[in-house]
Amino acid sequence: MKKHLNIALFSMTVLISNDLIAQENKELTVEETKKIEELNHEIQKITEEITWLTGTTAEQETAEKDNIWSGDVEFGYVDTSGNTEESTIKSRVDIKREKNEWRYNLLFDSLNSETKGKRSAEKYFFANRLAFQYSEYDYAFGYLSYDEDNFSGFDYQATTSAGYGRRLINNEVMQWDVEVGPGYRYSKVDDNSIADDSEEVILRAFSKYSWHFSDNADFSQAANIEAGKDNTISKSITALKVQVIGALSLKLSYTIKYTEDVPPGTRHADTETAVTLTYSF
């Protein structure tokens, strides 16, 4: 629409300009002078209307340049009754900020389930990441995470890491980032557990692949490995997001977390399948 309106404005301006040039070769009457003033006034009005319709004001252009925030807000709720009484609430907030060489990512993820009125799952995960891109594909990063799962045998696990990252693929369809660096992890077990709290130096490796394979669908695969002398924790998230209408999408994700050394009475692998409604901005 913008292109057509601009062409129309250009054509009208050319026609009127030719008419004005022709008028310069002869003396203008009072009526002709008045007519030219009216035409100039109409051109100004049309220009203002087209500028408003196409959104090309200076304020809007400045706002577009300053729009450095993006992200997803997800929410899912499942309630079953009858032979099985269970309710599950899933929420996730993933916020990104990119300006010049700096990239910032804030992530919050939670899951709460109740079975027959009793809490059967309660998880909270928070991650904060800051990266400085010093070349076209290379960057340095700092990472901090907090993981609380009340049914894992751990009270919480906190990790911090820093290191080197590289964007292996970067185009309109695909992006692939990999990171590696040393870090530190502290694991606090539940108060009623016979296991001991632990802290150790780790090596963290991370990979995230994104594929925008159609106009309204995206696939992503993320993997995080934190390897230490006493314990190794791996986490994988596979997701498919399909646009429903406007900024709303339907997202299907599968998460698996594997802990090599767990407190007694808990499992090594923890899986999660979720369907959420996602709002992107």
Side-chain angles (χ1 to χ4, degrees):
M1 178 179 179
K2 177 179 178 180
K3 180 179 180 181
H4 291 251
L5 288 173
N6 287 335
I7 291 175
L9 176 61
F10 176 76
S11 302
M12 182 180 296
T13 304
V14 170
L15 290 174
I16 295 174
S17 298
N18 291 337
D19 183 66
L20 293 178
I21 292 172
Q23 296 292 341
E24 290 180 357
N25 298 324
K26 65 177 182 178
E27 185 177 352
L28 299 178
T29 64
V30 176
E31 293 182 356
E32 289 173 337
T33 303
K34 185 177 179 181
K35 180 180 179 181
I36 291 175
E37 291 177 353
E38 291 177 351
L39 288 173
N40 288 332
H41 180 68
E42 290 298 324
I43 291 174
Q44 184 178 357
K45 287 177 59 179
I46 293 173
T47 303
E48 292 175 354
E49 291 177 0
I50 291 178
T51 300
W52 179 81
L53 288 172
T54 57
T56 56
T57 62
E59 293 80 2
Q60 289 171 327
E61 290 179 352
T62 302
E64 289 178 358
K65 291 180 181 180
D66 293 339
N67 186 22
I68 57 179
W69 295 93
S70 63
D72 294 332
V73 179
E74 304 176 27
F75 181 79
Y77 175 74
V78 178
D79 186 21
T80 59
S81 60
N83 294 325
T84 302
E85 295 182 3
E86 184 177 5
S87 62
T88 301
I89 298 176
K90 165 77 173 177
S91 63
R92 178 184 173 93
V93 179
D94 188 0
I95 299 176
K96 301 179 182 66
R97 183 182 189 272
E98 294 189 12
K99 186 174 183 181
N100 299 328
E101 297 87 3
W102 293 97
R103 291 186 292 177
Y104 176 72
N105 185 212
L106 179 66
L107 174 65
F108 174 76
D109 198 349
S110 70
L111 176 72
N112 287 272
S113 297
E114 286 189 1
T115 303
K116 296 182 179 180
K118 294 183 179 181
R119 185 62 57 90
S120 57
E122 186 176 4
K123 305 176 185 179
Y124 304 98
F125 179 78
F126 170 82
N128 194 3
R129 173 179 165 275
L130 178 65
F132 176 77
Q133 187 172 351
Y134 57 86
S135 71
E136 184 178 0
Y137 297 102
D138 304 296
Y139 61 91
F141 74 90
Y143 173 83
L144 176 67
S145 70
Y146 176 86
D147 193 354
E148 180 180 333
D149 186 346
N150 294 338
F151 290 83
S152 65
F154 293 99
D155 186 11
Y156 66 86
Q157 293 173 301
T159 300
T160 181
S161 176
Y164 166 77
R166 181 172 177 82
R167 178 156 289 184
L168 300 178
I169 301 176
N170 186 26
N171 54 55
E172 295 180 356
V173 178
M174 296 182 184
Q175 286 187 341
W176 186 14
D177 290 345
V178 294
E179 299 174 358
V180 63
Y184 168 84
R185 180 177 62 224
Y186 178 75
S187 301
K188 187 180 186 310
V189 298
D190 290 335
D191 295 335
N192 57 356
S193 176
I194 61 175
D196 297 325
D197 300 341
S198 64
E199 52 183 320
E200 61 179 329
V201 176
I202 63 169
L203 178 66
R204 175 180 176 269
F206 173 79
S207 170
K208 184 173 182 180
Y209 171 77
S210 301
W211 179 23
H212 184 64
F213 61 90
S214 72
D215 293 338
N216 60 351
D218 296 274
F219 171 82
S220 64
Q221 171 64 54
N224 187 78
I225 301 175
E226 300 172 1
K229 181 180 179 181
D230 300 324
N231 201 358
T232 297
I233 301 174
S234 305
K235 188 175 183 180
S236 171
I237 304 175
T238 306
L240 176 65
K241 185 172 71 172
V242 179
Q243 183 182 10
V244 178
I245 181 173
L248 294 178
S249 302
L250 195 64
K251 183 177 180 180
L252 173 64
S253 63
Y254 177 75
T255 304
I256 179 170
K257 178 183 177 183
Y258 186 87
T259 305
E260 185 179 9
D261 185 17
V262 296
T266 57
R267 298 179 178 179
H268 295 277
D270 189 17
T271 62
E272 174 190 314
T273 302
V275 179
T276 56
L277 186 64
T278 304
Y279 173 77
S280 301
F281 62 92

